[in-house]
Structure formats: structure tokens, C-alpha cells
Amino acid sequence: MSRLDSFIRRIVAQKKCLEQCAAAIGQTKGPVVELGLGNGRTFDHLRELLPDREIFVFERRPNAHAASTPDAAHLIEGDLALTLPKAQSLLPARAALLHSDIGCGDAAIDARTAALIAENLARVMASRGVVLSDQPLTHARLEPIALPEDVEEGRYFIYEWSA
Ligand SMILES: C[S@@+](CC[C@H](N)C(=O)[O-])C[C@H]1O[C@@H](n2cnc3c(N)ncnc32)[C@H](O)[C@@H]1O
């Protein structure tokens, strides 16, 4: 498969996962949290999907176009190692949906970041909230949810944060 086809497949899968997860949170109360603003593509899609939810984005080096950057009250700047442990004081409530998109292509770094995220989920997630991640996450309270049809296993990971 060409790199272009692979990129298209990844982005289509990401869009389908975001849409499934946005629908899945239903009546679960709480904001949306995104880890990794990047160029703001998924933040922009989430705010279109969930216009009535507050979206808080954690990012160490915000560098997206202003139009795809949350306002200062919803942008939590700094490394996740410093910000996630303080999530309870930074967020108004526990999150109904967490989207984590932190992959940098270095497997060792991504695994360390995924472990850091997993160990802080209890500070972030509401009971029965949904976690969508580009990396596999391991925690006793994470229950895997099936991916949308046509999304290849291992491309994304969806979980419910059990009660
Ligand atoms: C793949 S990009 C996110 C792409 C974004 N979701 C989009 O659609 O444009 C990953 C982002 O995660 C951020 N990131 C990775 N590790 C981080 C960490 N430990 N703390 C804070 N931000 C981190 C990077 O700076 C980068 O902006």
C-alpha cells in the first residue's frame, strides 16, 4: 500500500472512531479531554461533533493555527507528566470522553507516554466515560470496546472507563 493510501486509511479510521465515541457518550455528563493538539484537526472535528460539550486540550507545545486552537481557558499547556497529575484541579469535572493522540512514531516514547496516561486516568475520567487512544492503554478499569466496522484492529483503541 502506498504511503498516501496508508495515510488516508489512518485518517478515515480516526474520523470513524471519533464519531463512534462521540455518539457513545450519550447522556454521560462531563467535558471532552483531548491529549495532543497537533495541528488541531481532531480538536476541530470534536467541537463540530459535540458543540454542547466543553473541550479541554492538553499540549506541551501549542502550534496549531489560531482558528483550530482552544481559547486559553481550555488549553492546558505543559508536558503531560506535569499536567495530568493535576487534572482534577485543572478540569471542572471528570471527562465523558478522552481522546488521546500523542503518537510520535518512536515506540519507546509512545509506550512511556501511554503508561503515564493510563496511570492518571482515574484523575480524568467519569464513570462509564469513553477513552479513544492511538496507543494501547492498560488499566484494570479499562474495558475494550469494539472498533467501528472497517477499522483495522490495532489502529486505534477504544475503552469504557468502568464504574
Ligand atoms: C499526533 S499530534 C496530535 C494530532 C492532533 N490530534 C491533530 O489531529 O492535529 C501529537 C501531539 O501530542 C503532543 N504531545 C506528545 N507527547 C506529549 C506530552 N508528553 N505532553 C504534552 N503534549 C504531548 C505533541 O506535542 C503533538 O502536538
Side-chain angles (χ1 to χ4, degrees), residues 10 14 34-43 58-63 76 78-81 83 99-104 109 113 116 134:
R10 181 170 69 76
Q14 188 177 48
E34 176 158 88
L35 307 181
L37 179 66
N39 65 26
R41 266 196 305 247
T42 52
F43 164 66
F58 289 62
E59 170 59 55
R60 65 181 159 204
R61 273 191 298 275
N63 196 26
I76 297 168
D79 196 282
L80 294 173
T83 54
H99 174 226
S100 175
D101 189 19
I102 48 76
C104 68
I109 293 174
T113 311
L116 170 74
D134 67 333

Side-chain angles (χ1 to χ4, degrees), residues 18-41:
L18 287 167
E19 289 168 2
Q20 175 175 303
C21 292
I25 58 175
Q27 300 306 312
T28 305
K29 289 196 170 69
V32 173
V33 167
E34 176 158 88
L35 307 181
L37 179 66
N39 65 26
R41 266 196 305 247

Side-chain angles (χ1 to χ4, degrees), residues 62-117:
N63 196 26
H65 188 277
S68 303
T69 300
D71 62 39
H74 293 86
L75 179 61
I76 297 168
E77 269 192 71
D79 196 282
L80 294 173
L82 299 174
T83 54
L84 276 183
K86 295 191 286 190
Q88 280 159 288
S89 61
L90 296 170
L91 299 171
R94 290 172 192 256
L97 172 62
L98 173 87
H99 174 226
S100 175
D101 189 19
I102 48 76
C104 68
D106 179 317
I109 293 174
D110 288 347
R112 276 202 298 277
T113 311
L116 170 74
I117 292 166

Side-chain angles (χ1 to χ4, degrees), residues 143-161:
E143 291 175 2
I145 294 178
L147 294 168
E149 220 177 292
D150 299 338
V151 174
E152 209 183 313
E153 286 301 318
R155 196 172 274 275
Y156 285 97
F157 304 86
I158 305 180
Y159 308 92
E160 182 180 271
W161 182 248

